[in-house]
């Protein structure tokens, strides 16, 4: 069982660390373009194994994708991080080129791999990876919904002074500012969240979640990494262990929710084949309108990528 993480920066290294610590794969290969960087991160994680107590081997390589051959799952975190004042859309040109190159190398050596995209801007980078891989949508999808949902659940747990373990929630749509909150599908120990918190406070939490990434960029001067890395690792675990977990992920919609050819977050069942099934919720009119707004935003960025590709 081999899992590859491309990009040994903060998100990629965190993902590799969680994968190793939880013994999700026998071998975790960390790849980076910077000489010695992935090797150092992988060695550091491996040297932690006697302290924490795990068997998973971590191996680092510099741009040698032959070492990733036969990977069952590949997590792509490569690309520039977002800086203060920079929107996700500003990253599109540079990161699309990086994701395209990485995806082609991944598929060359692991043609049967399931690919999880973490690079920003997430929705359109998933589109790029899907185009470059030639794989079906069930095997190329993005990590966004788990991260957004985790932020939402963490904020709710804080406000209600309860364990985040007891909060279940679903968010849809694009990653970030145009995400679609679904309070109707949010429960605390099975209790609808609307019975435990007022509308104004809930709306404020939803808004904070929508700009959650930006809040961290302002605080730290760069993007988050602990939660994104752990979220990607959780997706890998669901696939490798065939857990059939219900998660919101970024996937190409093909008729679901009345939408075609756009990459949006939607709840799915995640198992050994990747996306086992897309779950279609019965949205009310307000939720449908929010999802349509999100679709329009993502489609604009997809169209921008198409124009760049056409003019290249």
């Amino acid at each position: 069982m081999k899992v590859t993480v491309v990009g040994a920066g903060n998100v990629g290294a965190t993902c590799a660390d969680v994968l190793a610590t939880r013994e999700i794969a026998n071998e975790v290969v960390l790849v980076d373009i910077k000489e010695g960087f992935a090797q150092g991160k992988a060695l550091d994680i491996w040297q932690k194994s006697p302290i924490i107590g795990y068997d998973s081997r971590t191996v680092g390589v510099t741009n040698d994708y032959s070492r990733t051959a036969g990977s069952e799952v590949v997590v792509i975190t490569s690309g520039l991080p977002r800086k203060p004042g920079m929107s996700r859309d500003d990253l599109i040109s540079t990161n699309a080129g990086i994701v395209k190159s990485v995806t082609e190398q991944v598929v060359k050596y692991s043609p049967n791999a399931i690919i999880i995209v973490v690079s920003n801007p997430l929705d359109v980078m998933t589109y790029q990876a899907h185009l470059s891989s030639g794989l079906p949508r069930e095997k190329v999808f993005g990590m966004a919904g788990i991260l957004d949902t985790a932020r939402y659940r963490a904020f709710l747990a804080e406000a209600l002074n309860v364990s985040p373990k007891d909060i279940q929630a679903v968010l849809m749509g694009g990653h970030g500012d145009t995400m679609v909150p679904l309070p109707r599908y949010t429960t605390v120990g099975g209790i609808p969240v609307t019975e435990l918190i007022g509308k104004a406070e809930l709306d404020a939490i939803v808004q904070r979640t929508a700009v959650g990434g930006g809040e961290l960029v302002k605080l730290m001067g760069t993007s988050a990494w602990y939660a994104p890395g752990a979220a990607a690792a959780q997706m890998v675990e669901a696939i490798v262990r065939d857990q059939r977990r219900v998660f919101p992920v970024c996937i190409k919609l093909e008729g679901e929710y009345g939408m075609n050819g756009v990459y949006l977050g939607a709840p799915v069942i995640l198992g050994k084949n990747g996306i086992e099934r897309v779950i279609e919720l019965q949205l009310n009119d307000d939720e449908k309108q929010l999802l349509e707004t999100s679709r329009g935003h993502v489609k604009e960025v997809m169209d921008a990528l198409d124009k760049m590709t056409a003019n290249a």
Side-chain angles (χ1 to χ4, degrees):
M1 175 64 63
K2 181 191 289 186
V3 173
T4 289
V5 179
V6 183
N10 289 331
V11 174
T14 298
C15 179
D17 184 45
V18 174
L19 290 171
T21 303
R22 292 178 58 81
E23 296 182 321
I24 292 168
N26 301 99
E27 183 179 21
V28 180
V29 180
L30 198 54
V31 184
D32 202 271
I33 194 171
K34 184 178 178 182
E35 186 68 40
F37 195 56
Q39 289 94 323
K41 293 286 185 78
L43 183 58
D44 194 14
I45 294 170
W46 173 239
Q47 290 172 353
K48 182 163 63 75
S49 64
I51 301 168
I52 303 298
Y54 54 84
D55 303 315
S56 297
R57 289 299 303 266
T58 48
V59 178
V61 295
T62 302
N63 252 11
D64 180 11
Y65 284 86
S66 66
R67 190 64 181 79
T68 72
S71 295
E72 292 204 27
V73 184
V74 177
V75 180
I76 299 176
T77 72
S78 310
L80 297 178
R82 192 159 55 131
K83 298 295 183 182
M86 179 189 292
S87 72
R88 283 190 173 86
D89 298 353
D90 291 336
L91 296 173
I92 181 173
S93 180
T94 301
N95 283 0
I98 293 170
V99 169
K100 179 178 185 295
S101 174
V102 167
T103 303
E104 289 170 350
Q105 289 294 313
V106 164
V107 174
K108 177 181 178 182
Y109 290 101
S110 301
N112 297 315
I114 292 169
I115 298 174
I116 299 171
V117 180
V118 184
S119 307
N120 274 322
L122 190 283
D123 309 293
V124 75
M125 289 305 106
T126 304
Y127 174 40
Q128 178 65 72
H130 195 186
L131 288 175
S132 301
S133 70
L135 295 171
R137 68 170 182 161
E138 290 81 8
K139 300 189 74 172
V140 185
F141 40 89
M143 186 292 296
I146 293 176
L147 173 60
D148 289 334
T149 304
R151 287 171 173 161
Y152 176 50
R153 292 164 65 197
F155 297 152
L156 279 172
E158 193 173 14
L160 295 170
N161 196 24
V162 300
S163 169
K165 295 177 184 178
D166 289 331
I167 299 177
Q168 292 294 320
V170 178
L171 298 173
M172 290 185 62
H175 180 42
D177 302 353
T178 62
M179 66 169 217
V180 179
L182 298 173
R184 290 194 305 123
Y185 292 98
T186 303
T187 60
V188 183
I191 303 166
V193 72
T194 50
E195 294 189 18
L196 300 173
I197 193 169
K199 185 179 185 304
E201 192 174 3
L202 182 58
D203 287 347
I205 288 172
V206 166
Q207 178 56 30
R208 186 183 179 193
T209 304
V211 297
E215 178 182 359
L216 290 165
V217 169
K218 287 178 182 176
L219 289 168
M220 302 188 296
T222 189
S223 302
W225 62 87
Y226 293 125
Q234 188 176 52
M235 292 175 72
V236 174
E237 182 177 25
I239 295 164
V240 168
R241 295 181 174 162
D242 193 23
Q243 292 176 330
R244 299 186 67 84
R245 298 288 304 272
V246 176
F247 288 138
V249 308
C250 177
I251 183 174
K252 180 184 181 183
L253 296 180
E254 295 179 347
E256 296 90 358
Y257 301 96
M259 298 179 181
N260 270 294
V262 66
Y263 291 73
L264 284 176
V268 306
I269 296 174
L270 205 56
K272 65 179 180 181
N273 299 307
I275 305 256
E276 305 282 355
R277 177 185 151 204
V278 180
I279 298 171
E280 196 161 2
L281 303 174
Q282 298 302 309
L283 303 181
N284 61 33
D285 290 342
D286 289 342
E287 292 160 347
K288 287 177 182 176
Q289 183 55 53
L290 288 171
L291 190 61
E292 175 57 32
T293 299
S294 190
R295 184 205 67 81
H297 176 77
V298 171
K299 190 65 170 64
E300 280 182 16
V301 187
M302 288 174 61
D303 290 343
L305 176 62
D306 288 339
K307 285 179 183 177
M308 289 177 193
T309 304
N311 295 328

